[in-house]
Amino acid sequence: MKLNLKQTFTEELPADSVLENSRRQVKEACFSFVNPKQTKNPETLHVSKEMATALGISESDLSSELFTKVFTGNELLPKTRPYAMCYGGHQFGNWAGQLGDGRAINLFDVENNNKQWTVQLKGAGETPYSRSADGLAVLRSSIREYLCSEAMFHLNVPTTRALSLAISGDEVLRDMLYDGNSANEKGAIVSRVSPSFLRFGSYEIFAARQDHKTLKTLVDFTIKHHFSHLGAPSKENYIKFFAEVSERTLEMIIHWQRVGFVHGVMNTDNMSILGLTIDYGPYGWLEGFDFGWTPNTTDIQHKRYRYGNQPNIGLWNLYQLANALYPLIEETEPLETILDRYKTDFELKSLEMMKSKLGLETIDDKDHLLIEALENALILTETDMTIFFRNLSNHKKGGAKQGVNTVKDAFYTPNEVSDKIAQQWQDWFERYDFRLEKESLSDKDRQSKMKTVNPKYVLRNYMAQLAIDDANKGDYKLIDELYQLLKQPYEEQLNMEKWFAKRPDWARHKVGCSMLSCSS
Ligand code: AMP
Ligand code: MG
């Protein structure tokens, strides 16, 4: 395997001087050297060929034994030194102290086609940051991370990527529901890829420890390698850096809102400094449109990470990052201005995004009211978000009377759609028709445009669960079927219509299909 390997992170940033792999507080260092665990019988289940090509891995490398060994941590490429990163974080609103890569181990950086990537294994064994856990991952959560990160990429949502999914051959003990019933599950390893795995918590940890020297070293490194267009590190550029992180974070969350993705654990250790979706855990996809929905069982009481709250949490997390960067800037005003701008930008971008979902291009100062009315209509009866918006693109200007018919496939209980509800929908469609009069696009052109932002296929919670159930029985075909399907989420794929369907009834309350625990 001939890769253009780099070790930028470990060569330029301070390392933990202790080499022993024991759990501890690691001070004044950005990472600890640590080797992945040897596993019993590693087997690659799936690879992302696009990602392999991006890294410069050839077709013949992919099928080699070396590939499986390297991307499960069983063999190291010459001259590479794996490491786990040190970071902290706010979890569910509280400072949690040192967290770090408890089960992620970075293998190396690769430069290819003028892009640099870090390759990281998730589930490759314990590190100094593993705290009381085992450093391992199970097959179900690894399938979910693998499929979803690639699906998000093809939906045009900023995200970390995945290169491969493998089983380790070892068993891993998990209490899936946190109810005292532990069971052995298949261990698995995902190799993930990103230009950087730095998180808000990577900076917070040094600010919390008042280690301003390492904080500055890390921020300067980040600007040099990932925000080099801002110029050399300076107080002014630290402010610009924060402004850009804020913009990227908002942009990412607006995309989540557009496709109905709910991250589930937006702790600051799960917020990428590059504004990429990272750490796919108990995430979920909206089925019935509902601002109050959270997929995470740990979050059920306060619903902090519910769909409708994601933009607010993005802002809350940026406040924590602002606090962490403050020692380098020593002025609150520019940071506050940026945070205020997030709020106004959110209003603007959210409106723009919703207008694109409705196929509206011109400006009308009452558009926010039309959208508000739509959001109210969507909760009259349980209405599938993906199917609703996709089918809305079939609407013909002036056809308000047909409106309910156009979108009725999105209703979970069509029999319970009373005359009153039907009338409310017709009222909304009449407003929509009136508004469409201002638009110049033909029905056909509007439909084509709407189909580029309203996906036909998303990784519904039950779809991932079907792939998991099969995989636990040793059948991995569905992983590939879903992977292929989700490579073209905006295209009509006629032989795949079965995945353009509401969540089946059996999945409504099934574990993994409606709610997920953090146990992974
Ligand atoms: P998460 O909320 O899954 O992003 O994880 C929060 C923290 O817990 C991170 O520092 C993870 O590395 C760590 N963690 C989660 N699961 C494990 C595990 N099985 N072994 C070790 N550390 C873990
Ligand atoms: Mg995490």
Side-chain angles (χ1 to χ4, degrees):
M1 207 174 327
K2 276 222 155 19
L3 296 176
N4 183 16
L5 297 175
K6 304 273 166 185
Q7 325 282 339
T8 317
F9 198 87
T10 50
E11 279 173 5
E12 295 187 24
L13 291 168
D16 175 8
S17 56
V18 181
L19 289 177
E20 191 195 334
N21 188 0
S22 59
R23 291 141 204 249
R24 60 202 138 83
Q25 293 292 308
V26 174
K27 303 273 174 71
E28 294 168 17
C30 294
F31 65 93
S32 306
F33 287 113
V34 59
N35 282 340
K37 182 177 182 263
Q38 297 294 300
T39 77
K40 200 156 141 201
N41 192 13
E43 184 190 339
T44 302
L45 302 185
H46 207 276
V47 286
S48 162
K49 294 218 171 103
E50 297 83 10
M51 200 59 243
T53 306
L55 294 173
I57 300 175
S58 70
E59 199 63 44
S60 61
D61 287 337
L62 286 181
S63 44
S64 68
E65 201 180 322
L66 181 64
F67 181 89
T68 294
K69 284 190 170 160
V70 169
F71 294 101
T72 55
N74 284 289
E75 187 166 329
L76 301 181
L77 288 179
K79 297 197 190 117
T80 60
R81 259 187 109 179
Y83 61 96
M85 290 157 84
C86 178
Y87 54 79
H90 279 84
Q91 298 186 312
F92 295 93
N94 303 305
W95 176 243
Q98 178 182 300
L99 298 166
D101 285 335
R103 57 162 166 180
I105 296 181
N106 301 275
L107 291 181
F108 41 70
D109 292 354
V110 180
E111 198 188 294
N112 192 42
N113 287 335
N114 295 320
K115 267 192 119 173
Q116 189 158 329
W117 304 93
T118 299
V119 178
Q120 176 182 91
L121 303 182
K122 186 162 171 181
E126 61 190 275
T127 76
Y129 310 96
S130 296
R131 295 176 293 150
S132 59
D134 57 11
L136 303 175
V138 292
L139 183 54
R140 68 185 144 83
S141 62
S142 304
I143 291 174
R144 285 169 47 80
E145 171 138 23
Y146 180 78
L147 285 179
C148 199
S149 51
E150 288 303 281
M152 291 281 270
F153 172 75
H154 294 292
L155 282 163
N156 305 323
V157 182
T159 179
T160 60
R161 303 284 305 273
L163 170 66
S164 65
L165 167 71
I167 43 175
S168 61
D170 296 322
E171 304 254 271
V172 175
L173 193 64
R174 283 288 181 275
D175 181 357
M176 184 162 68
L177 300 176
Y178 298 132
D179 62 359
N181 290 314
S182 295
N184 272 325
E185 299 185 44
K186 285 187 194 181
I189 296 163
V190 172
S191 63
R192 309 198 287 190
V193 184
S194 173
S196 169
F197 288 98
L198 285 165
R199 302 126 192 279
F200 289 10
S202 307
Y203 307 85
E204 285 180 276
I205 187 75
F206 300 117
R209 288 171 169 166
Q210 298 190 1
D211 176 0
H212 299 161
K213 180 166 167 256
T214 315
L215 174 67
K216 182 173 183 312
T217 307
L218 183 62
V219 173
D220 290 358
F221 171 91
T222 311
I223 293 176
K224 177 177 164 201
H225 291 286
H226 304 289
F227 294 80
S228 57
H229 52 279
L230 297 179
S234 65
K235 198 158 144 172
E236 199 186 327
N237 283 342
Y238 295 144
I239 295 168
K240 285 193 187 151
F241 164 61
F242 180 65
E244 190 168 332
V245 176
S246 172
E247 282 162 22
R248 291 195 197 186
T249 302
L250 176 59
E251 173 107 11
M252 167 186 79
I253 295 174
I254 295 279
H255 277 290
W256 291 357
Q257 305 306 91
R258 172 175 65 82
V259 297
F261 173 81
V262 188
H263 183 284
V265 210
M266 290 177 72
N267 294 332
T268 57
D269 52 304
N270 291 337
M271 297 296 291
S272 145
I273 202 70
L274 301 183
L276 304 173
T277 314
I278 191 172
D279 279 7
Y280 292 85
Y283 68 82
W285 293 83
L286 279 194
E287 287 172 320
F289 183 86
D290 177 4
F291 280 124
W293 187 69
T294 175
N296 183 354
T297 46
T298 312
D299 190 31
I300 207 68
Q301 199 180 358
H302 300 293
K303 298 195 176 189
R304 180 180 173 85
Y305 297 141
R306 64 189 182 274
Y307 174 62
N309 208 30
Q310 297 192 118
N312 286 331
I313 293 293
L315 180 62
W316 192 92
N317 289 341
L318 284 162
Y319 267 98
Q320 310 316 311
L321 181 63
N323 280 331
L325 298 178
Y326 175 79
L328 304 185
I329 296 168
E330 292 178 311
E331 269 182 88
T332 50
E333 204 201 304
L335 295 170
E336 276 166 7
T337 307
I338 292 164
L339 293 164
D340 284 341
R341 199 184 314 142
Y342 179 102
K343 292 182 221 167
T344 45
D345 281 356
F346 165 68
E347 297 295 338
L348 290 172
K349 289 188 182 266
S350 177
L351 178 68
E352 223 171 84
M353 178 274 286
M354 285 305 289
K355 280 178 65 179
S356 74
K357 287 181 83 65
L358 294 176
L360 302 175
E361 295 188 322
T362 57
I363 292 172
D364 184 315
D365 58 14
K366 289 202 268 313
D367 278 342
H368 64 287
L369 297 174
L370 179 72
I371 289 162
E372 223 174 85
L374 173 62
E375 287 164 355
N376 290 334
L378 282 169
I379 53 175
L380 291 171
T381 175
E382 194 181 5
T383 306
D384 191 272
M385 176 175 176
T386 304
I387 298 176
F388 175 85
F389 281 103
R390 188 73 182 186
N391 285 356
L392 185 64
S393 70
N394 296 329
H395 179 68
K396 305 262 187 304
K397 213 190 271 190
K401 281 207 168 64
Q402 293 308 313
V404 190
N405 268 338
T406 308
V407 299
K408 72 170 187 310
D409 282 349
F411 298 146
Y412 275 89
T413 45
N415 296 339
E416 287 165 28
V417 176
S418 60
D419 290 350
K420 192 168 161 228
I421 292 178
Q423 184 59 49
Q424 280 169 285
W425 270 114
Q426 192 175 320
D427 293 348
W428 184 80
F429 271 100
E430 272 161 18
R431 283 173 78 168
Y432 184 42
D433 265 345
F434 184 72
R435 175 64 182 79
L436 284 175
E437 287 301 321
K438 263 193 133 173
E439 296 291 321
S440 54
L441 287 182
S442 66
D443 284 337
K444 195 158 167 274
D445 290 346
R446 186 178 67 254
Q447 175 174 59
S448 302
K449 282 218 149 180
M450 287 170 76
K451 283 184 173 181
T452 64
V453 290
N454 295 315
K456 176 144 184 172
Y457 304 106
V458 297
L459 183 61
R460 290 170 183 274
N461 313 311
Y462 85 89
M463 289 162 62
Q465 191 58 39
L466 288 173
I468 290 165
D469 290 344
D470 282 0
N472 280 331
K473 290 181 226 138
D475 177 356
Y476 307 118
K477 287 194 296 294
L478 194 49
I479 296 174
D480 185 58
E481 180 174 332
L482 295 180
Y483 176 85
Q484 301 300 344
L485 170 80
L486 297 167
K487 272 206 300 202
Q488 295 185 299
Y490 298 103
E491 299 303 317
E492 303 292 330
Q493 300 180 47
L494 291 181
N495 53 345
M496 290 289 167
E497 281 290 313
K498 68 173 178 217
W499 301 119
F500 182 60
K502 285 171 283 195
R503 169 201 61 227
D505 240 7
W506 60 260
R508 180 177 287 270
H509 300 294
K510 185 171 153 51
V511 173
C513 298
S514 54
M515 291 300 286
L516 293 127
S517 75
C518 284
S519 135
S520 58

